[in-house]
Amino acid sequence: ERNGIDFAVADLSEADFGRREIRLAEHEMPGLMALRREYAEAKPLHGARVSGSLHMTVQTAVLIETLVELGAEVRWASCNIFSTQDHAAAAVVVGPHGTPENPQGIACFAWKGETLEEYWWCMEQMLAWRDSDTRGPNMILDDGGDATMLVHKGVEFEKAGVVPSATDDDPAEYQVVLATLRRSLEEDPQHWTKVASGIRGVTEETTTGVHRLYEFFNEDKLLFPAINVNDSVTKSKFDNKYGCRHSLVDGINRAVDVLISGKKAVICGFGDVGKGSAESLRGQGARVTVTEADPICALQALMEGYDVDTLDNVIESADIVITTTGNKDIVTLDHMRRMKHQAILGNIGHFDNEIQMEKLEKSGEAQRLNVKPQVDEWRFSDGHSVIILSEGRLLNLGNATGHPSFVMSNSFSNQTIAQIELFTKNDEYPLGVYRLPKHLDEKVAKVHVEALGGELTKLTKDQAEYIGVDVEGPYKPDHYRY
Ligand code: NAI
C-alpha cells in the first residue's frame, strides 16, 4: 500500500514506460476516447465500484482509465497468469498524474508469471474493497468468468453449509479455488453472500465466460444480471476474428520465430477465433487444415479453401497445431506422443484444458526443458519433443501482447457501454443474460469507421422505407448474422 492505494505489481518504476505506451494506445482507441468526451460532464459511473478481471495490458489500462474518467472507482486483476504487461500494471497504479512515490491511480493486483495460488489471491484482493462490509464491489467486469465464478461458488458453499474441500481427482486449479474459498469462509462464513448482495451486475467479455453465465442462468443459480459483451457484433466478429488474425502469428513468432510458410498447420475449431487464426497462418503461407464438429463451420472452412479433417488423421504430419475451441481435451497426451519432432503446440482459446497439460505433466512421459519464459520443449523418451507455448494457456497474450489497440477499442467500448447500462438502468435488467441493443453496436462501429476514414452512405427516406429500416438505423433485424 502506498498513498492509500493497495496494489501488487512487479515494479512501479516501469510506470513511465507504461504511460508512454498508453498515450500511443489512446490515439488508436477512438471508441473509448469518444466515450470519455461524450460523458465528460455526466459521469454516469459516479458511485460505481468496479471489480475488474481482465488481461492487464496497455489496452486494458485505457479501458480502466476510461471507467475512472466516467466516475467509477476501480480495482483490477488479470484473468490469466501470463497476460499482464508489467509496465501497464505499474502505470494504472501510478495513474496519469501520479509518480511511483506518490501513486494516484487504482488498486491493481497483477504481474506476468503468477502462480495459480498468486492468481487466485489477486482475484480475492480485487474483489475485497476496503471496509468491504459496507462497500463491496457493486459491478463486476469479467473476462472468462473467473471472478463471477468465485462469487457464485462461494455463495453456493455458504448456502449448502459445506466446507469447500478438494479431492485428488479435482483439476489442480480447482483445488486452488477451493482452498481460496475455504480460507475466506473461515474468516467470515457469510463473506460471499455479503459480496454478492452488493453486486448490481456483471459485464462479460468472452465466449467462455458467456457460456458459464448462461449455465448459471439455466440452472437458476445466477445471482445478478449480466450483459454478454462478447456477442455484440463489434466484439466477437472483430476482436475474436481480426484480433486473433493479428496476434496468433505474433505469439508464434515471438515464441519460436520459425518460418511458417510451407508448414502444415492445424487449427482446431472454426468459430470466430478459429476463422481469424486460420487466416493468420494462411497469410504466412502455411498449408492449413481445420478440424470442426459443427458442419456449418466445417462447410465455411471448406468454402474458404481449407482442408477439413480430424486431428487423429493429421496429427503425425502437422508442424503447428493451434486450439481455438473453448472446449476441453482437444489435443490429448496420445496426440502429443504421435507428433513430429519439434512440432509447435499452442492454444488461443480461453483455458489451458484444450490441451491435456495436466495429464502430460502427471504422466511423467516427457521431460520439460524450459527454453525461455512461456516456451517449453517437452521431450518424450523416444527422443521426439513437442514445443508447447505458454503452458497451454492463451498464447497470443502469453507469448505476445494480445490484440492491438484498435480492435480492443471496439470490444472495450462495448464493455464501457455495458457497464453504464447495467449500473444506471439496473431496474430495466431483471435477473438474466442480455446483449446490448443493436443501435449501440452500430454506434461503436460508426466511431471506428470514421477513425479509419471510411464514409458511410446515407439512406434516403424512401430507400429506408423500402427496406424497412429507419434512416438512422438500426440497419438490420436482430436475427441478422453478419
Ligand atoms: P466459437 O463458439 O465461435 O467457436 C468455437 C468452435 O469450436 C465452434 O465452432 C465449435 O463447433 C468448435 N469445436 C468445439 N469442440 C470442438 C472439437 N472437439 N473439435 C473441433 N472443433 C470444436 O467460439 P470463439 O468465439 O471462436 O471462442 C473460442 C475460444 O477462444 C473461447 O474460449 C473464447 O473465450 C476464446 N477467445 C480467445 C481470444 C484470445 O485473444 N485468445 C479472443 C476471443 C475469444
Side-chain angles (χ1 to χ4, degrees), residues 281-332:
L281 294 180
R282 178 157 72 183
Q284 289 294 309
R287 292 173 287 163
V288 179
T289 298
V290 165
T291 75
E292 249 298 346
D294 178 341
I296 296 177
C297 297
L299 185 58
Q300 286 180 313
L302 287 163
M303 294 285 177
E304 289 291 334
Y306 301 108
D307 283 333
V308 172
D309 210 332
T310 65
L311 192 56
D312 269 331
N313 285 344
V314 295
I315 192 71
E316 272 105 357
S317 61
D319 299 294
I320 302 170
V321 177
I322 305 295
T323 55
T324 79
T325 68
N327 201 347
K328 63 176 184 172
D329 301 323
I330 304 302
V331 179
T332 63

Side-chain angles (χ1 to χ4, degrees), residues 206-208 235 239-240 244 268-274 291-294 297 324-327 330 348-350 354 394 396-397 403:
T206 198
T207 317
T208 286
K235 199 286 183 180
D239 165 326
N240 303 25
C244 290
C268 302
F270 201 69
D272 292 320
V273 170
T291 75
E292 249 298 346
D294 178 341
C297 297
T324 79
T325 68
N327 201 347
I330 304 302
I348 195 166
H350 194 79
E354 299 211 21
L394 304 152
N396 60 329
L397 282 136
H403 298 348

